[in-house]
Amino acid sequence: MKYNFTSGAELLEKCKELNMTIHELCVEREAELTGISKEEVRDKMRVSLNIMKNAVEKAVQEDIKSMGGLIGGEAKKLTNFRNSSAKTVCGELMNKAMAAAMGTMEVNASMGLIVAAPTAGSCGILPGAIVTIGKEYDIDDETMIDALFTASAIGAIITRNATVSGAEGGCQAETGAAAAMASAGIVEMMGGSQEQAVHAASHCLQNVMGLVCDPIAGLVEVPCQGRNAIGVANALISAELCLSGILNIIPFDETVAAMYKVGKTLPMELRETALGGVAATCTGCSLTNKIFG
């Protein structure tokens, strides 16, 4: 296949060989794989972008309560805090990104419509980053769609060579991969190079390497929502580092391999079984009993 790639190194090599950006190559690859036109490929991604936008807005405008009752209203609280006279610790942009990420998780936990990118448990990070940056700098939808394709390229590589499953690799695989995808998309959206985008993804994975998956009551609510907020911050920080010229000394592909190895060494109690971490605390167990009787 002319446009296929299986690693970060091959992705960059193909971009250079064909004189394409990451998003252009990803669109061509998808068209080649599916047999549909590039226009149809972009139309499908446009649907995903609109779902992301709607999820971000829904949590701020409506009172949402999760199925398990552990989360709901956090996006509104962050937004209200930002709009009050109080001084934000993280600044307005980060507050907006955190609210978007946490709000999307509220929509997910209340059985609303989200895009699992790459998973439902990390669904707030990509929209939290891309949609927020898009709004902040008045970036048009087509450019945001480009960023989502760049993110998709990173996700495809991680999925092929490692995992994005918390049950297999811990939360590092879910929120780490989502942050890596988002950060790469932001770099390209903000005018960075292909190399900077891939290095940003490497930063993100290393920043949360070893992060366990310990959902209380086995629900994708706590600590998942907070980790989506951390994930979007990870994406923004990593993008800023690379855009300023601070690249990673460990190649992306080696980072992906290391993340996978670390995930495989995590005990099963720390891989989405709700038998370890905060899920196994006294409070975590009492909440589980309260939810399930």
Side-chain angles (χ1 to χ4, degrees), residues 145-268:
I145 288 170
D146 291 343
L148 292 179
F149 278 112
T150 299
S152 298
I154 296 299
I157 293 167
I158 296 173
T159 302
R160 184 189 188 281
N161 298 323
T163 183
V164 296
S165 166
E168 188 177 7
C171 195
Q172 58 160 12
E174 289 207 32
T175 61
M181 293 165 64
S183 193
I186 289 170
V187 167
E188 200 174 48
M189 190 164 70
M190 297 297 286
S193 68
Q194 287 90 345
E195 289 79 10
Q196 287 174 325
V198 174
H199 275 272
S202 195
H203 277 310
C204 284
L205 289 176
Q206 290 179 32
N207 288 345
V208 294
M209 196 165 290
L211 184 60
V212 303
C213 182
D214 51 347
I216 292 174
L219 302 173
V220 186
E221 298 185 19
V222 177
C224 317
Q225 188 190 39
R227 289 181 183 162
N228 271 253
I230 288 175
V232 78
N234 186 11
L236 297 179
I237 290 166
S238 297
E240 186 89 330
L241 289 174
C242 287
L243 287 168
S244 66
I246 304 170
L247 304 183
N248 202 294
I249 63 172
I250 305 299
F252 173 66
D253 295 320
E254 291 182 32
T255 300
V256 171
M259 181 272 285
Y260 192 38
K261 187 174 182 179
V262 168
K264 287 292 188 180
T265 63
L266 290 174
M268 68 90 176

